[in-house]
Amino acid sequence: MLLAPSLADIERLAQAAVERLPDQFRRHLASVILKVEDFPDETVMAEMNLETEWDLLGLYWGRHVGMKGDVPTGALPDMIFLYRRPMLDVWAESGETLELLVTHVLVHEVGHHFGLSDEAMDEIESSAASE
Protein backbone atom coordinates (compact mmCIF):
# COMPACT_ATOMS: atom_id res chain seq x y z
CA MET A 1 0.00 0.00 0.00
CA LEU A 2 1.35 3.42 -0.97
CA LEU A 3 0.77 6.48 1.16
CA ALA A 4 0.22 9.96 -0.24
CA PRO A 5 3.03 12.44 0.42
CA SER A 6 2.53 14.14 3.79
CA LEU A 7 2.51 17.82 4.68
CA ALA A 8 6.14 17.40 5.80
CA ASP A 9 7.06 15.76 2.47
CA ILE A 10 5.63 18.73 0.55
CA GLU A 11 7.44 21.16 2.86
CA ARG A 12 10.76 19.37 2.25
CA LEU A 13 10.23 19.62 -1.51
CA ALA A 14 9.38 23.33 -1.20
CA GLN A 15 12.43 24.06 0.97
CA ALA A 16 14.65 22.28 -1.55
CA ALA A 17 13.09 24.38 -4.34
CA VAL A 18 13.80 27.57 -2.37
CA GLU A 19 17.46 26.53 -2.11
CA ARG A 20 17.66 26.30 -5.92
CA LEU A 21 16.20 29.78 -6.53
CA PRO A 22 18.42 32.72 -7.54
CA ASP A 23 20.00 34.65 -4.64
CA GLN A 24 17.68 37.66 -4.88
CA PHE A 25 14.66 35.42 -4.24
CA ARG A 26 16.30 33.35 -1.50
CA ARG A 27 17.30 36.52 0.36
CA HIS A 28 13.71 37.78 0.23
CA LEU A 29 12.28 34.41 1.26
CA ALA A 30 14.51 34.23 4.36
CA SER A 31 11.87 36.25 6.24
CA VAL A 32 8.84 34.57 4.63
CA ILE A 33 7.06 31.79 6.49
CA LEU A 34 6.34 28.70 4.40
CA LYS A 35 3.21 26.81 5.45
CA VAL A 36 1.86 23.63 3.93
CA GLU A 37 -1.77 22.89 4.66
CA ASP A 38 -4.23 20.43 3.22
CA PHE A 39 -6.66 23.13 2.00
CA PRO A 40 -7.14 26.90 2.15
CA ASP A 41 -9.10 28.07 5.18
CA GLU A 42 -12.51 29.74 5.09
CA THR A 43 -11.01 33.25 5.14
CA VAL A 44 -8.87 32.58 2.08
CA MET A 45 -11.75 30.90 0.30
CA ALA A 46 -13.98 33.93 0.91
CA GLU A 47 -11.34 36.51 -0.03
CA MET A 48 -10.37 34.64 -3.20
CA ASN A 49 -14.01 33.87 -4.11
CA LEU A 50 -13.20 30.17 -4.45
CA GLU A 51 -16.00 27.81 -5.33
CA THR A 52 -14.35 24.83 -3.65
CA GLU A 53 -11.33 24.14 -1.48
CA TRP A 54 -9.76 22.32 -4.45
CA ASP A 55 -9.46 25.51 -6.55
CA LEU A 56 -6.17 26.85 -5.14
CA LEU A 57 -2.70 25.26 -5.16
CA GLY A 58 -0.81 28.02 -3.38
CA LEU A 59 -0.98 31.58 -2.11
CA TYR A 60 1.46 34.36 -1.24
CA TRP A 61 -0.05 36.26 1.68
CA GLY A 62 1.71 39.51 2.50
CA ARG A 63 2.68 42.96 1.43
CA HIS A 64 3.86 43.76 -2.08
CA VAL A 65 7.63 44.15 -2.35
CA GLY A 66 7.22 47.87 -3.15
CA MET A 67 5.35 48.39 0.14
CA LYS A 68 7.94 46.82 2.44
CA GLY A 69 9.32 50.08 3.88
CA ASP A 70 6.12 51.07 5.64
CA VAL A 71 5.00 48.08 7.70
CA PRO A 72 2.03 48.90 9.90
CA THR A 73 2.04 47.96 13.58
CA GLY A 74 0.65 44.49 14.09
CA ALA A 75 1.23 43.38 10.49
CA LEU A 76 1.57 39.63 10.08
CA PRO A 77 4.73 38.26 8.49
CA ASP A 78 4.62 37.40 4.79
CA MET A 79 3.68 33.78 4.17
CA ILE A 80 3.57 31.32 1.31
CA PHE A 81 0.87 28.71 1.62
CA LEU A 82 1.02 25.49 -0.38
CA TYR A 83 -2.11 23.38 -0.42
CA ARG A 84 -1.25 19.69 -0.39
CA ARG A 85 -4.52 18.02 -1.39
CA PRO A 86 -5.22 20.14 -4.51
CA MET A 87 -1.55 19.73 -5.52
CA LEU A 88 -1.78 15.96 -5.11
CA ASP A 89 -4.81 15.92 -7.44
CA VAL A 90 -2.94 17.91 -10.10
CA TRP A 91 0.10 15.69 -9.61
CA ALA A 92 -1.94 12.52 -10.09
CA GLU A 93 -3.56 13.87 -13.26
CA SER A 94 -0.56 15.63 -14.83
CA GLY A 95 2.10 12.94 -14.89
CA GLU A 96 4.80 15.44 -13.88
CA THR A 97 6.90 14.89 -10.79
CA LEU A 98 5.69 16.22 -7.47
CA GLU A 99 8.99 18.05 -7.11
CA LEU A 100 8.38 19.97 -10.35
CA LEU A 101 4.80 20.79 -9.38
CA VAL A 102 5.80 22.09 -5.93
CA THR A 103 8.57 24.17 -7.52
CA HIS A 104 6.12 25.56 -10.08
CA VAL A 105 3.58 26.61 -7.44
CA LEU A 106 6.26 28.12 -5.20
CA VAL A 107 7.87 30.12 -8.02
CA HIS A 108 4.46 31.24 -9.24
CA GLU A 109 3.46 32.63 -5.83
CA VAL A 110 6.79 34.39 -5.27
CA GLY A 111 6.84 35.69 -8.85
CA HIS A 112 3.45 37.34 -8.64
CA HIS A 113 4.46 38.96 -5.37
CA PHE A 114 7.44 40.49 -7.18
CA GLY A 115 5.22 41.54 -10.09
CA LEU A 116 6.97 39.27 -12.59
CA SER A 117 5.54 38.21 -15.92
CA ASP A 118 4.73 34.58 -16.66
CA GLU A 119 7.77 34.48 -18.98
CA ALA A 120 10.11 35.67 -16.22
CA MET A 121 8.61 33.10 -13.83
CA ASP A 122 9.20 30.37 -16.44
CA GLU A 123 12.90 31.34 -16.55
CA ILE A 124 13.20 31.26 -12.75
CA GLU A 125 11.34 27.97 -12.58
CA SER A 126 13.71 26.44 -15.16
CA SER A 127 16.72 27.54 -13.13
CA ALA A 128 15.15 26.13 -9.94
CA ALA A 129 14.34 22.72 -11.45
CA SER A 130 16.50 19.98 -10.03
CA GLU A 131 19.04 18.38 -12.27
Side-chain angles (χ1 to χ4, degrees):
M1 179 167 121
L2 297 177
L3 298 176
S6 67
L7 295 169
D9 294 331
I10 302 295
E11 185 173 348
R12 277 191 292 278
L13 291 172
Q15 290 294 344
V18 167
E19 293 302 315
R20 294 189 302 270
L21 290 173
D23 282 344
Q24 69 189 47
F25 293 97
R26 278 198 320 259
R27 280 193 307 271
H28 171 72
L29 292 174
S31 63
V32 175
I33 296 170
L34 177 63
K35 294 187 83 167
V36 180
E37 298 180 349
D38 276 325
F39 292 105
D41 65 23
E42 290 178 17
T43 302
V44 169
M45 289 189 61
E47 288 197 25
M48 301 289 294
N49 294 319
L50 301 177
E51 289 184 28
T52 75
E53 58 193 1
W54 298 92
D55 292 343
L56 191 63
L57 301 179
L59 177 69
Y60 193 110
W61 191 271
R63 297 174 55 82
H64 187 277
V65 169
M67 299 172 69
K68 290 295 181 192
D70 185 25
V71 178
T73 302
L76 294 174
D78 293 344
M79 293 183 254
I80 293 175
F81 291 90
L82 300 177
Y83 300 114
R84 182 182 79 96
R85 297 283 304 277
M87 281 200 295
L88 292 180
D89 268 18
V90 170
W91 173 52
E93 294 171 3
S94 71
E96 70 182 31
T97 68
L98 185 57
E99 181 178 34
L100 284 176
L101 178 61
V102 169
T103 299
H104 172 76
V105 174
L106 180 75
V107 168
H108 191 82
E109 298 313 323
V110 172
H112 279 306
H113 177 71
F114 277 94
L116 298 177
S117 68
D118 286 336
E119 293 79 24
M121 285 188 273
D122 287 345
E123 274 185 43
I124 293 165
E125 189 174 343
S126 292
S127 72
S130 67
E131 300 173 1

